[in-house]
Amino acid sequence: MSLECGSGWETRTDGRLVDTLRGRMVMDESQWVPEREGTVSTKLLQKAGAAPFMPVGIAGFAMVAAYGLYRLKARGKMKMSVHLIHMRVAAQACVVGAITLGATYTMYKDHLLKPAADRAQK
């Protein structure tokens, strides 16, 4: 058996991992397949499908951050800390605005559109 430096795991000669802290066997890492394999972009697309205003918040945050970096040299006599506080507040406003729009859209969809569809079915 080879011991991996204090991690609490041992790799046996047959390729199995043993959790020495809990005393249980773990299957070979090469046989393990995750439930859903995906890249960051596919996870972002799945999240955007579930919450459509999340990408809007991310884009707003990125735009405010880019504008803040662009305006960094032209801030005049304004202190750096004040400039950074203004940019942070603007970025947070974009994200909170996107969350508010998303919540409003979800409430509209759930409470106003569904009852109309239920009345049409009756």
Side-chain angles (χ1 to χ4, degrees):
M1 283 188 217
S2 66
L3 182 63
E4 296 178 12
C5 185
S7 63
W9 294 93
E10 289 182 6
T11 305
R12 294 199 172 168
T13 55
D14 59 356
R16 292 185 182 178
L17 290 176
V18 176
D19 184 353
T20 57
L21 297 177
R22 294 186 183 100
R24 61 181 183 189
M25 300 286 285
V26 180
M27 71 184 333
D28 185 15
E29 287 180 359
S30 64
Q31 296 173 356
W32 182 76
V33 177
E35 211 174 286
R36 286 187 269 172
E37 284 190 39
T39 62
V40 173
S41 60
T42 58
K43 290 179 183 179
L44 182 64
L45 289 174
Q46 289 173 354
K47 187 69 174 174
F53 284 96
M54 192 238 357
V56 173
I58 291 173
F61 177 82
M63 286 178 19
V64 168
Y67 180 73
L69 288 173
Y70 174 72
R71 296 291 298 171
L72 195 60
K73 287 187 178 183
R75 71 180 190 274
K77 294 185 184 253
M78 185 187 302
K79 287 183 177 180
M80 174 69 85
S81 62
V82 174
H83 176 73
L84 291 175
I85 289 171
H86 287 175
M87 291 301 105
R88 179 185 62 90
V89 169
Q92 284 178 331
C94 286
V95 172
V96 169
I99 290 170
T100 303
L101 285 174
T104 305
Y105 172 73
T106 302
M107 287 180 2
Y108 171 75
K109 187 173 67 172
D110 290 345
H111 297 289
L112 293 176
L113 293 181
K114 283 190 180 176
D118 291 341
R119 284 184 291 222
Q121 288 178 357
K122 290 181 181 180

